[in-house]
Amino acid sequence: MAGKDRVASFNISKFSPPGIVNLDIGDPTIFESYWRKMGEKSSLVISGNQFLSYFSDSKNECWYLESKLEDEIKRLHSVVGNASVEDYYVVVGTGSTQLLQAALYALCPDDGSNPVNVVSAVPYYSSYPELTDFLRSSLYKWKGDARTYDEGGPYIEFVTSPNNPDGSIREAIVKNGQGKLVHDLAYYWPQYTPITSCLGYDIMLFTLSKCTGHAGTRIGWALVKDKDVAKKMAEFNTITTIGVSKESQIRAAKILDLVSDSCQNPGPDNFFKHGQSLMAERWEKLRKVVGQSGLFSLPQYPKGHCLFTGEFSTEAHPAFAWMKCNKEDIDDCEKFLRGFQIVTRTGRRFGSDPKYVRVSLVGKEEEFELFLERLLAIQEDF
Ligand code: PMP
């Protein structure tokens, strides 16, 4: 997709004309009510004399990383049990979007003569092809679907689990022995999926956006096993933005601190349990509406033993609904829904069939309810 179209889709989300229900972008405002309830506890004052320096800790591989943020990232993973932190380097980025690019840079050999192929299994996160090819790098190039990739030589595979857009739990696909993996674990948090094991991959990416809902703070982090890879990722962030905003890092640390505290005190304030019930409620309502006719269908997810909640049969409630239109004469589900003023993202953007759309389930309550109302009305007419 051309850059121009991509920017346009962001504009729609911000300035949606009245009447349009925009469920295209996964803007995680669903968690706003929780944070409003936290009130003053989540506030932070930063004075004019703080954070003038570019530097945080020149001895760290990631020299601009605030130690408080590193501590809180490690603490949260230990509390949730979703990823190992021991012996991992933490690299922070301006969202995990910057880290995806930093990982590509870090995993390409310095002396490679040909661009390294980058793949991910269809349906893949729509930003992967865009960010891989945007600057027409000579280091790497987008090669599409990991399932049909059959070339020899070095490659990089993005493994997204749970996957955006379809919520599936994934493992690497290509096995030619020369690959490097980037595990994008943006949604591996208890509100979306049972935490079935503590992961320990070479590069694991997380983002505050999907973890706590603070997309605007633009903080992502990578847990990296190899020191040289961590160094190269930090180098990418040095060259592109000379580090990451200290204010954002300190805010992220504060938010993560509260989330970890909330998990350690039983009660209604447990952030992930609260998030899980919000997501469960939305999925229940959506399944009920979709179940009224055979016009659309949704994926089913296996239940799992969640190590975080201790429950044996925890359901997954992905951030997006990967919805299929089953009517034979409707080939383009996104266009069809747009006719009813529902904006979604077409399956095509994920390398998949236009009979599918991705619907954000993490937006505002009013928009979600309006979406259900319209979906119900559409189904009654068919
Ligand atoms: N990875 C995945 C799978 C995502 O869905 C997103 C956000 N949509 C990102 C990475 C990037 O998130 P951010 O830049 O906000 O950290």
Side-chain angles (χ1 to χ4, degrees), residues 30-335:
I30 185 173
F31 304 118
E32 214 169 79
S33 56
Y34 176 90
W35 291 109
R36 193 169 301 116
K37 216 173 115 204
M38 288 301 110
E40 278 297 296
K41 263 205 279 187
S42 60
S43 302
L44 188 70
V45 177
I46 297 173
S47 319
N49 65 310
Q50 287 181 282
F51 307 124
L52 277 75
S53 172
Y54 285 116
F55 300 98
S56 294
D57 177 3
S58 50
K59 285 191 229 68
N60 194 319
E61 311 316 319
C62 188
W63 56 271
Y64 56 82
L65 168 59
E66 283 292 302
S67 63
K68 174 82 180 130
L69 178 58
E70 179 170 13
D71 293 347
E72 292 302 341
I73 286 169
K74 290 188 166 176
R75 179 174 165 227
L76 184 65
H77 284 298
S78 305
V79 167
V80 173
N82 59 347
S84 306
V85 286
E86 211 165 307
D87 300 326
Y88 273 83
Y89 297 92
V90 176
V91 180
V92 72
T94 299
S96 57
T97 298
Q98 187 179 32
L99 293 166
L100 285 162
Q101 297 162 74
L104 289 180
Y105 167 74
L107 294 178
C108 289
D110 291 332
D111 52 0
S113 48
N114 292 317
V116 174
N117 294 325
V118 180
V119 296
S120 189
V122 165
Y124 43 69
Y125 173 39
S126 48
S127 288
Y128 295 153
E130 295 167 356
L131 65 85
T132 305
D133 281 349
F134 189 55
L135 291 181
R136 300 189 191 107
S137 170
S138 59
L139 294 178
Y140 46 78
K141 68 169 185 292
W142 178 248
K143 270 287 176 164
D145 190 4
R147 286 184 224 278
T148 54
Y149 182 75
D150 60 359
E151 293 182 29
Y155 68 91
I156 297 169
E157 181 175 348
F158 287 128
V159 184
T160 318
S161 188
N163 190 38
N164 173 0
D166 68 358
S168 60
I169 298 300
R170 291 186 148 187
E171 290 191 1
I173 302 277
V174 187
K175 298 209 163 59
N176 81 359
Q178 295 187 63
K180 303 260 174 73
L181 303 177
V182 179
H183 279 84
D184 185 342
L185 305 176
Y187 303 93
Y188 194 49
W189 295 104
Q191 67 269 49
Y192 306 116
T193 190
I195 303 301
T196 53
S197 64
C198 184
L199 303 178
Y201 297 114
D202 288 351
I203 301 181
M204 300 186 279
L205 303 187
F206 294 91
T207 165
L208 198 71
S209 308
K210 311 300 167 169
C211 173
T212 69
H214 294 81
T217 305
R218 307 303 306 123
I219 289 288
W221 63 94
L223 301 177
V224 184
K225 240 184 209 167
D226 184 272
K227 187 176 180 172
D228 292 331
V229 173
K231 248 187 180 160
K232 273 191 90 176
M233 287 179 71
E235 183 195 0
F236 180 91
N237 295 347
T238 303
I239 302 292
T240 52
T241 48
I242 322 185
V244 171
S245 158
K246 302 276 187 281
E247 284 85 351
S248 284
Q249 292 191 53
I250 287 303
R251 175 152 199 244
K254 171 92 187 178
I255 296 292
L256 295 185
D257 181 18
L258 282 180
V259 170
S260 290
D261 280 354
S262 83
C263 297
Q264 289 174 323
N265 304 321
D269 286 347
N270 182 314
F271 174 75
F272 292 116
K273 288 198 178 164
H274 179 83
Q276 196 181 41
S277 65
L278 286 177
M279 295 305 302
E281 197 182 313
R282 288 199 177 180
W283 270 96
E284 197 187 324
K285 286 182 177 174
L286 178 62
R287 287 201 190 277
K288 203 165 160 198
V289 168
V290 167
Q292 308 241 326
S293 81
L295 184 56
F296 299 105
S297 52
L298 294 166
Q300 295 294 334
Y301 300 101
K303 291 181 181 174
H305 175 201
C306 181
L307 302 172
F308 174 72
T309 58
E311 286 159 15
F312 277 92
S313 109
T314 307
E315 279 182 50
H317 304 110
F320 300 100
W322 184 236
M323 206 166 77
K324 185 181 179 196
C325 183
N326 295 318
K327 203 156 184 304
E328 263 177 27
D329 57 344
I330 300 173
D331 293 329
D332 189 332
C333 186
E334 187 270 338
K335 192 170 158 202

